[in-house]
Amino acid sequence: QVQLVESGGGLVQAGGSLRLSCAASGRTFSSSNMAWFRQAPGKEREFVSAISRSGGNAYYADSVKGRFTISRDNAKNTVYLQMNSLKPEDTAVYYCAAGLIFVRVGVRPNEYEYWGQGTQVTVSS
């Protein structure tokens, strides 16, 4: 069982920055691919970014590439999402997810078994 707790969301003006954190419980963190997804009102949950178990490989949705950076600290059981140059269209609930089953880093929600409760990010124009 893996429990994930996100933090760091909030209200920010367009062009600003936020850093999301996701703290994981349990001893399986370093064995998990980790990802961030987001869901805006009335829309499906969408992939934002993912990182491999070792942190050596990172993946980004085209919409956030060059603005967001994912990282992880396996000693602290934490994954981060640094979000810069935020836009109003980045407004959503952001979810952290952990995947143990698949070896490759996935970009679909069904490739992750464990989810956090989400943290709201609101970007004002």
Side-chain angles (χ1 to χ4, degrees), residues 63-76:
S63 59
V64 307
K65 202 170 293 182
R67 300 188 297 121
F68 291 10
T69 303
I70 191 171
S71 61
R72 66 189 296 164
D73 186 336
N74 286 348
K76 295 183 178 179

Side-chain angles (χ1 to χ4, degrees), residues 111-123:
E111 294 176 296
Y112 293 86
E113 302 90 68
Y114 300 101
W115 292 82
Q117 82 289 349
T119 185
Q120 176 70 46
V121 171
T122 303
V123 184

Side-chain angles (χ1 to χ4, degrees), residues 1-70:
Q1 187 80 8
V2 177
Q3 291 186 327
L4 303 173
V5 179
E6 302 100 334
S7 61
L11 173 64
V12 64
Q13 289 187 332
S17 298
L18 283 174
R19 188 195 195 201
L20 304 184
S21 299
C22 172
S25 66
R27 300 181 178 181
T28 57
F29 180 78
S30 61
S31 301
S32 303
N33 292 320
M34 300 297 298
W36 290 94
F37 289 80
R38 67 187 181 187
Q39 189 166 17
K43 295 187 177 181
E44 293 187 353
R45 191 166 297 191
E46 67 171 357
F47 171 75
V48 175
S49 182
I51 191 166
S52 59
R53 291 168 172 81
S54 67
N57 293 291
Y59 305 85
Y60 299 94
D62 288 343
S63 59
V64 307
K65 202 170 293 182
R67 300 188 297 121
F68 291 10
T69 303
I70 191 171

